[in-house]
Amino acid sequence: KPQISVHRDEQTPSGLLTRTTIGTVSADWIPLIHSFPATENYVVIPQYPVKMEIMKSMESRDVMDGIEWMGDKQPTLIHVFDINSNKSSKPLKTFQTDAFFSLHQINAFESVSPNGSKVIHFDCIGYDDGFIMTNKQSVGNLQLMRDPSCCGNVTGDMKLRHYELDM
C-alpha cells in the first residue's frame, strides 16, 4: 500500500544535511502532491483525489496519461503533522473536505481560538476538479506559455479557498 512520508531536513553545525522522517500515512493510491503549507509547528499535507500511475506515464512518455481525477468518489483529506517531531508518527489529525485540487498554497499561519486551542489557517487556489492536471492543453503546453490567449480556459474553475483546522 502506498505511503505519504513527511521529512524535515536540517543542517548540522559541521554542515552535513540530516533528514528526519516526522510522519507517515497510508494511502489507497499514489497521490499527486505538488506543494504543501507549513507553519512554525505544523506541516499540512493535502491528499487530493488525484491518482498518479507512474508506469502508465512512463509507458506513454506523457505524465498526464498517468493522472486520474477521482473526486467523484473520493474526498480531499488534509493530514497535519508535528513539524518538530523527532520520530515518524501518524498525523496529529486528519480532516476531510470536498474534493478539490491545488497546485500552490498562498498563506499558512497559526492562531489561538477563543477556547484556547490552536487553529491552522491556510489559503490556496483550489480547482473543483482535476481538469488542470488531466487536460493536455493546460500544464506544460508550450503554445499556451507563449500566448495565454491561444487556447481559451484551460485551467478549469478555480477559486480562493480558506481553511481553518482546529487542532
Side-chain angles (χ1 to χ4, degrees), residues 74-105:
Q74 298 288 338
T76 293
L77 301 176
I78 300 172
H79 307 289
V80 179
F81 295 91
D82 178 358
I83 203 169
N84 299 305
S85 178
N86 288 316
K87 61 182 173 49
S88 183
S89 305
K90 293 183 185 292
L92 296 172
K93 214 166 185 181
T94 295
F95 300 86
Q96 182 175 312
T97 188
D98 293 340
F100 79 98
F101 178 71
S102 179
L103 286 168
H104 299 107
Q105 290 68 45

Side-chain angles (χ1 to χ4, degrees), residues 32-140:
L32 175 59
I33 303 170
H34 179 71
S35 65
F36 55 88
T39 67
E40 185 177 340
N41 296 298
Y42 302 102
V43 176
V44 179
I45 304 294
Q47 182 183 344
Y48 307 110
V50 179
K51 180 180 184 179
M52 290 284 305
E53 293 191 42
I54 306 299
M55 291 308 295
K56 201 182 265 190
S57 293
M58 290 174 65
E59 287 167 1
S60 72
R61 296 184 177 188
D62 186 337
V63 171
M64 290 190 152
D65 286 343
I67 296 175
E68 178 187 350
W69 171 252
M70 302 185 321
D72 53 336
K73 53 188 177 270
Q74 298 288 338
T76 293
L77 301 176
I78 300 172
H79 307 289
V80 179
F81 295 91
D82 178 358
I83 203 169
N84 299 305
S85 178
N86 288 316
K87 61 182 173 49
S88 183
S89 305
K90 293 183 185 292
L92 296 172
K93 214 166 185 181
T94 295
F95 300 86
Q96 182 175 312
T97 188
D98 293 340
F100 79 98
F101 178 71
S102 179
L103 286 168
H104 299 107
Q105 290 68 45
I106 299 167
N107 192 19
F109 63 94
E110 298 170 30
S111 70
V112 178
S113 72
N115 70 5
S117 66
K118 284 194 176 181
V119 177
I120 301 169
H121 303 260
F122 81 91
D123 302 305
C124 64
I125 298 297
Y127 302 89
D128 292 334
D129 57 30
F131 184 80
I132 191 168
M133 294 308 298
T134 57
N135 176 355
K136 291 190 179 195
Q137 294 301 309
S138 62
V139 175

Side-chain angles (χ1 to χ4, degrees), residues 123-163:
D123 302 305
C124 64
I125 298 297
Y127 302 89
D128 292 334
D129 57 30
F131 184 80
I132 191 168
M133 294 308 298
T134 57
N135 176 355
K136 291 190 179 195
Q137 294 301 309
S138 62
V139 175
N141 179 339
L142 294 178
Q143 183 183 1
L144 176 67
M145 290 179 193
R146 287 185 195 108
D147 178 12
S149 66
C150 78
C151 307
N153 180 4
V154 295
T155 60
D157 292 327
M158 59 182 159
K159 63 184 172 194
L160 176 64
R161 292 174 175 254
H162 176 78
Y163 289 92

